[in-house]
Amino acid sequence: MTSCWRCNVGGHIVSWARKLGIVFETELDDIQRDIHQILNAPDTSGIFIPPPNAVSLPKGFTRLTERPDSVYSKWIKEMAERKNLSYRDFTEAGVGFTKTDPKWEPFAIFPVTEFGNVVYYQGRLYDDDQKEELGGTTKRFPSRHELQYGARYWLYNIDEVMAVKPPRVVIVEAILSVLSLKRAFWENEWKNTVAVASFRSGMSREQIEKLSRYTFVKEWCLLFDADALDKAF
């Protein structure tokens, strides 16, 4: 619902639009529908893409650049080097840690941004010795109690695609693979190639829909593990 700023008379925004002569491409049968349902309705493809609203990172989140002298920064640096990456790769990615949230304390936390807003995050275990204690996992994803929209809606490093507008995009499974490729592209001066991660061995319909909107991309390269290629296709 809305109201006139001049006379303060209320009305439904769809009714007002019709009175102004606007013809809708798809007329709504019931114009009394809640306006939030209209604004958040799926697009013409039938796939809902959530807006890139900023979310809160785990309680106590501290970027490596804020506490380079912390023992947590030291542990995460060692983890980066085991992955053939550098501490700088992690700091440029905005990686951080928390000492106050027990669930996320064992993990290096990687923020995922879209349009500059943190919309998601993922954790990577920085101490392999804790793997068995945590059920054999090295990754942690936020639960639905923590974030409304899960990994299927987002792509890591999508902001670089929007900024560079490359003709070629490489799609990988993991955040660390993106960081490795970013370094390789820089070392080889491949300025027209950008890597993104889908967080899993495959792509969701939402991720495909989102990427398909970037019509300037002429080539998509699926660089998944061999056992994931069939699923990815």
Side-chain angles (χ1 to χ4, degrees), residues 58-120:
K59 182 180 179 182
F61 176 81
T62 304
R63 295 185 186 274
L64 297 176
T65 51
E66 298 174 28
R67 289 294 309 277
D69 58 335
S70 170
V71 66
Y72 287 85
S73 296
K74 174 180 176 293
W75 291 334
I76 293 172
K77 178 182 179 181
E78 292 172 353
M79 185 262 276
E81 292 171 349
R82 289 198 306 273
K83 303 295 183 180
N84 297 313
L85 290 163
S86 70
Y87 183 73
R88 180 176 179 180
D89 293 326
F90 277 30
T91 57
E92 290 180 350
V95 177
F97 59 87
T98 176
K99 297 189 293 182
T100 56
D101 188 329
K103 176 180 177 179
W104 289 94
E105 187 273 337
F107 296 87
I109 301 167
F110 293 75
V112 179
T113 64
E114 187 168 337
F115 291 98
N117 289 328
V118 176
V119 295
Y120 193 69

Side-chain angles (χ1 to χ4, degrees), residues 95-229:
V95 177
F97 59 87
T98 176
K99 297 189 293 182
T100 56
D101 188 329
K103 176 180 177 179
W104 289 94
E105 187 273 337
F107 296 87
I109 301 167
F110 293 75
V112 179
T113 64
E114 187 168 337
F115 291 98
N117 289 328
V118 176
V119 295
Y120 193 69
Y121 52 87
Q122 183 188 4
R124 290 296 299 254
L125 191 66
Y126 55 74
D127 184 357
D128 290 341
D129 292 339
Q130 290 185 286
K131 181 177 178 179
E132 296 305 319
E133 298 176 25
L134 296 170
T137 184
T138 59
K139 300 179 184 178
R140 184 177 289 285
F141 295 90
S143 68
R144 291 186 178 182
H145 297 291
E146 292 169 299
L147 293 182
Q148 182 179 5
Y149 300 112
R152 62 182 296 173
Y153 294 102
W154 312 110
L155 287 148
Y156 184 75
N157 203 41
I158 192 67
D159 274 3
E160 187 174 351
V161 175
M162 292 186 280
V164 176
K165 293 182 171 56
R168 182 187 301 108
V169 171
V170 178
I171 307 168
V172 295
E173 299 178 44
I175 290 176
L176 296 185
S177 298
V178 170
L179 300 186
S180 296
L181 285 172
K182 288 181 74 167
R183 173 185 283 195
F185 296 158
W186 178 79
E187 291 175 348
N188 290 279
E189 297 185 355
W190 292 354
K191 299 179 181 178
N192 293 322
T193 304
V194 171
V196 300
S198 63
F199 308 108
R200 55 172 63 83
S201 56
M203 294 185 67
S204 67
R205 293 179 63 209
E206 291 81 3
Q207 290 170 330
I208 294 171
E209 167 71 15
K210 184 172 290 187
L211 287 176
S212 70
R213 298 177 180 183
Y214 300 113
T215 55
F216 49 79
V217 179
K218 305 305 179 186
E219 181 180 354
W220 304 95
C221 305
L222 296 180
L223 193 60
F224 290 161
D225 293 341
D227 62 348
L229 281 177

